[in-house]
Amino acid sequence: VEVKIEVVIPEKERSKEEMSPNGKASPLIYKVNGTARHYHPEEHPVASNPYHNPKDVVEASVCHVKDLENGQMREVDLGCGKALLIKESGEFHAVGHKCPHYGAPLVKGVLSKGRVRCPWHGACFNIGTGDIEDFPGLDSLPRFQVKIEKEKVYIRASKQVLQTQRRTKMMAKCISLSNYNLSSTNVLIIGAGAAGLVCAETLRQEGFSDRIVMCTMDRHLPYDRPKLSKSMDSHPDQITLRPKEFFCTYDIEVLTEMQVVAVDVKSKIAVFKDGFKMEYNKLLIATGNTPKTLSCKGKEMENVFNIRTPEDANRVVKLATSKNVVIVGASFLGMEVAAYLAERAHSVSLVELEHVPFKKFFGERVGRAVMKMFENNRVKFYMQTEVSELREQEGKLKEVVLKSGKVLRADVCVVGVGAVPATGFLKQSGINIDSKGFIVVNKMMQTNIPGVFAAGDAAMFPLALRNNKKVNVPHWQMAHMHGRIAALNMLAHGTEISTVPYLWTAMFGKSIRYAGHGEGFDDVIIQGDLDELKFVAFYTKSDEVVAVASMNYDPIVSKVAEVLAAGRTIRKRDVE
C-alpha cells in the first residue's frame, strides 16, 4: 500500500459570534464614553489553496503499508524536506518532523492516543491536525495528506511548508475600530510573557475580533525569557517570540514600558504609573515575579545584577569576560549563569545556603552529581554560607565577603536567590491574594472577581496531578498553558486546566528534563549512572511517583508525562 501525503488546509470555519459575559452568543458589547457599542466579528480568514503553484508541490512514495506497525513513527525524506509518518489504529498520518519550539526530532518523541510529545521539552501535537495541544512553543505542525495506492504510502506536500516545518493556527483579525476610544479595550493583559502572549493568540485563534491590549514594564516585545540565563549574549531580536509584523497583522496591541499601579475591579479600570487609565471588559493578570535582592551592605553597588532583561544578561557577559564572577544562589538561574560564564570568566564562585545545589528540587544525590559536573568545569562552591557584605573600590564592586569569613574577589556579582510574585499593586483591589502574594485562581484561571483572570508565575492554581492541591509552578511551559486556559474561559468555553508540569535546565551542553510536581517527595529511586550523568530519577510520595527527572535518558520524561497526563498512577513498585 502506498501512502500519499498532501498538505491540507482546514476547511473554512463557520463564523462565530463572540460570547458575552453571561455565556450566550451575542455581539460583543463594551462601553465607550458611557455608550454601548456593538462590534460584529469578521469571518475567520480563509487560507488560499497551498497548491496554486504546481512547481511548489512534491509527491513521493515513502514506504509500503506493512513497513510500519500500529504505534510506530518514521522520519521520511521527500527529497526537498522531511515529514513524520505515523501509523496509529490502522491509519496513516503525516506531520512536520521537527518540534517548532527548538527543533527537536519528533520521531524520538512519544506517540500516545492521537498525539506526539516532544522528547526535549514536552510540547504535544495532534497527529490528525498538527495543532499544538501542550506547550512550550507557539506554532503548530504542518499536516500533510496521506494517500495509499497499490499498498504504497505516498506523501504530497508543499516544498515551502516542508522547509519551514511550522504552521501558525488560523487567526481572526480585529474588526475596523477607526473610532474607538483609546482608553477602552475589551481585553487587557497585564504582562507580556508567555502567559500573556498565548492568551492573546488563543483569543484570535478562537475567532475573537475585538480589541486586545497587552502592557508590559519591559521595553521589548514578548521574548524567550529562559534564554536570558541559558544563552546570555542573545540580542533581543534573536529571542523575540513573534516579530513586530505579527502583532500588526493580528491587531494585538503591545504597550511597552507601561506599568499598571492599581486596578479598580468595580469600575473595571486599570490605572497606569503615568496616570493614564484604561477601561476593560476582561482582564488577565500575568505579571510574573520580581527577583529578591540581597539585604547586605553594598547591594546597590554597580556591577551587582538581577538578570531580568536581555540588557542585563548582555552586560553581565561583557563585564564577566576574563574577570572574577560571584553568583549568589544555586537556583536554576544562578546555576545556568554559572555554567554559561564558566568558560568566559577568569573565575566563577557560587555561594549557597544549602549544602547541595537543587536539593529541595532534585534531591541530594542528583544535586551532588550536578555539583561535581560544575566543579569539573572550574566552578568553585561556597556552601552553607551567605553574603555579609559587598565591598567596593573606586565605586565598583571588588570583593564579596561571606559570613564564613571568606573574602572572594569579584568584578561582577549575579544574584539568584529566588523571587516574589509581582502583585503588590493588587493589595487594595479585592482580588484574592494569598499570604505569599500569589493570586488564587480556580481550574479555569479565574480569580474571585468575575471577568478577572490570572496566569503564569504569579498564579496559585489547582493541580489535577496532585488531587487539585493549590500550587505555584513558575515555569515556562505552565505559563503557556495558563494563558490558553484563561483565553478559552474569557470566551466562556468552560475549559479546566489539567496539564502535567514539564521543565528543563541546560548546563554545559547537557539538559535535565523534569515532569510532574515533586514537592514533598519522600524518596528518590535512581536508575542509570549518576557519575556518568546518564540517569533517571523517580520522585515518590508514599507509594506514588509524583515526578521524574532525567539526563541523557530521552524520552523517558516525556513518556512519564504522557502516562500522568492520561490520569494513570505510577506506583513505586513499578519503577523499583
Side-chain angles (χ1 to χ4, degrees):
V1 178
E2 295 182 347
V3 180
K4 288 185 178 179
I5 299 180
E6 274 182 76
V7 177
V8 176
I9 298 297
E11 293 181 11
K12 179 178 177 181
E13 298 183 47
R14 289 176 297 168
S15 177
K16 296 179 183 175
E17 288 189 309
E18 302 296 347
M19 303 301 287
S20 67
N22 63 11
K24 296 178 181 178
S26 69
L28 200 57
I29 302 173
Y30 70 91
K31 292 182 179 179
V32 177
N33 293 332
T35 58
R37 296 178 62 180
H38 294 244
Y39 291 119
H40 295 268
E42 297 178 316
E43 284 191 320
H44 285 258
V46 182
S48 59
N49 184 343
Y51 301 133
H52 64 275
N53 181 5
K55 292 181 180 179
D56 182 48
V57 179
V58 60
E59 182 174 296
S61 170
V62 293
C63 71
H64 192 278
V65 288
K66 292 182 180 178
D67 288 344
L68 260 66
E69 300 291 333
N70 280 323
Q72 284 190 323
M73 300 185 289
R74 177 182 290 185
E75 201 175 83
V76 293
D77 196 336
L78 306 187
C80 60
K82 295 180 179 179
L84 182 67
L85 182 64
I86 302 165
K87 186 177 183 181
E88 191 173 72
S89 301
E91 293 187 6
F92 285 89
H93 305 272
V95 292
H97 74 290
K98 285 184 178 180
C99 179
H101 178 227
Y102 281 176
L106 292 175
V107 71
K108 295 183 178 180
V110 179
L111 177 64
S112 175
K113 296 184 178 178
R115 70 180 191 177
V116 59
R117 184 184 281 268
C118 172
W120 288 0
H121 307 129
C124 297
F125 304 90
N126 185 297
I127 63 172
T129 64
D131 286 348
I132 188 167
E133 294 186 347
D134 205 339
F135 304 92
L138 298 170
D139 292 313
S140 296
L141 298 174
R143 175 172 69 104
F144 310 118
Q145 259 189 358
V146 179
K147 289 186 179 180
I148 300 173
E149 290 181 2
K150 298 179 181 178
E151 304 224 334
K152 285 187 177 179
V153 181
Y154 286 84
I155 296 178
R156 189 167 186 247
S158 157
K159 295 176 184 177
Q160 184 179 0
V161 173
L162 278 170
Q163 289 161 1
T164 59
Q165 287 292 317
R166 61 182 65 215
R167 171 178 63 88
T168 301
K169 291 178 73 172
M170 292 178 68
M171 294 195 200
K173 293 187 179 182
C174 194
I175 55 175
S176 177
L177 300 178
S178 56
N179 298 316
Y180 69 75
N181 188 333
L182 283 172
S183 61
S184 181
T185 183
N186 202 287
V187 173
L188 176 62
I189 298 170
I190 307 176
L197 179 58
V198 171
C199 178
E201 290 201 20
T202 301
L203 289 169
R204 289 286 185 249
Q205 289 163 1
E206 294 297 312
F208 182 80
S209 57
D210 217 312
R211 192 179 184 202
I212 299 172
V213 174
M214 299 172 68
C215 61
T216 174
M217 292 168 60
D218 216 316
R219 61 188 291 188
H220 304 293
L221 292 173
Y223 56 85
D224 194 345
R225 188 171 291 276
K227 285 192 174 179
L228 293 188
S229 53
K230 296 179 176 73
S231 182
M232 296 178 67
D233 56 359
S234 298
H235 188 272
D237 291 344
Q238 295 174 313
I239 59 175
T240 187
L241 294 173
R242 295 293 195 195
K244 183 178 179 180
E245 294 73 28
F246 178 92
F247 295 94
C248 295
T249 299
Y250 298 109
D251 302 302
I252 299 169
E253 299 169 58
V254 185
L255 307 179
T256 56
E257 298 182 271
M258 291 284 281
Q259 181 182 0
V260 174
V261 294
V263 173
D264 183 337
V265 297
K266 291 181 180 178
S267 303
K268 294 191 171 185
I269 290 174
V271 181
F272 289 79
K273 190 174 182 178
D274 63 0
F276 179 67
K277 296 181 180 180
M278 181 169 281
E279 187 178 355
Y280 64 84
N281 182 36
K282 293 284 194 299
L283 175 68
L284 176 71
I285 304 164
T287 45
N289 55 37
T290 302
K292 292 179 182 178
T293 58
L294 297 177
S295 56
C296 63
K297 180 183 176 183
K299 64 177 181 178
E300 305 295 339
M301 196 182 301
E302 192 177 335
N303 292 4
V304 179
F305 294 87
N306 291 112
I307 306 287
R308 286 297 294 167
T309 67
E311 287 78 15
D312 290 338
N314 294 171
R315 183 147 175 76
V316 167
V317 173
K318 186 176 180 179
L319 292 171
T321 302
S322 301
K323 296 295 180 66
N324 301 298
V325 180
V326 173
I327 296 164
V328 185
S331 58
F332 282 101
L333 180 141
M335 295 289 277
E336 289 172 358
V337 169
Y340 192 83
L341 296 179
E343 290 185 358
R344 294 166 174 81
H346 177 263
S347 70
V348 175
S349 303
L350 204 149
V351 181
E352 167 60 32
L353 266 173
E354 290 282 350
H355 67 280
V356 173
F358 298 135
K359 181 185 174 185
K360 291 181 180 178
F361 203 87
F362 290 136
E364 185 162 339
R365 292 174 64 193
V366 172
R368 284 197 182 281
V370 173
M371 186 174 176
K372 184 179 177 182
M373 176 178 72
F374 273 70
E375 289 173 333
N376 290 339
N377 284 278
R378 299 191 314 110
V379 176
K380 177 73 173 175
F381 286 90
Y382 296 88
M383 309 301 281
Q384 294 180 283
T385 187
E386 53 188 318
V387 177
S388 64
E389 183 186 353
L390 301 175
R391 290 179 182 164
E392 67 171 343
Q393 182 177 333
E394 297 178 359
K396 291 185 178 181
L397 177 67
K398 196 63 183 175
E399 293 175 336
V400 174
V401 183
L402 307 183
K403 287 192 175 177
S404 64
K406 182 74 176 175
V407 179
L408 306 177
R409 292 180 61 189
D411 300 293
V412 185
C413 179
V414 177
V415 181
V417 292
V420 295
T423 56
F425 71 102
L426 299 172
K427 283 183 178 177
Q428 307 301 320
S429 67
I431 296 169
N432 188 8
I433 309 288
D434 75 4
S435 60
K436 292 183 179 179
F438 294 108
I439 305 168
V440 181
V441 297
N442 62 15
K443 290 182 180 181
M444 294 183 284
M445 308 312 296
Q446 296 170 329
T447 68
N448 60 311
I449 305 296
V452 178
F453 299 77
D457 293 3
M460 181 71 71
F461 69 101
L463 184 63
L465 184 69
R466 297 295 294 272
N467 298 315
N468 295 317
K469 175 184 176 182
K470 288 284 180 76
V471 299
N472 171 254
V473 181
H475 297 297
W476 196 237
Q477 168 259 356
M478 191 58 73
H480 285 70
M481 185 57 83
H482 281 186
R484 177 163 179 76
I485 298 297
L488 293 174
N489 290 307
M490 285 181 179
L491 301 174
H493 285 197
T495 306
E496 296 184 351
I497 189 164
S498 63
T499 188
V500 174
Y502 199 116
L503 65 105
W504 72 98
T505 183
M507 304 163 294
F508 300 111
K510 300 181 185 300
S511 288
I512 299 179
R513 316 200 195 286
Y514 179 99
H517 188 69
E519 187 178 61
F521 67 87
D522 53 34
D523 196 10
V524 186
I525 300 166
I526 294 175
Q527 297 175 0
D529 191 328
L530 285 171
D531 291 334
E532 294 294 323
L533 297 175
K534 184 175 183 179
F535 65 86
V536 55
F538 296 94
Y539 300 86
T540 63
K541 190 169 185 179
S542 299
D543 184 44
E544 187 178 339
V545 174
V546 292
V548 61
S550 82
M551 183 183 279
N552 291 317
Y553 231 97
D554 292 341
I556 186 68
V557 171
S558 287
K559 284 184 177 179
V560 171
E562 275 303 292
V563 172
L564 297 177
R568 289 156 57 193
T569 300
I570 303 173
R571 297 292 176 193
K572 199 171 181 178
R573 62 178 178 271
D574 297 330
V575 298
E576 279 181 328

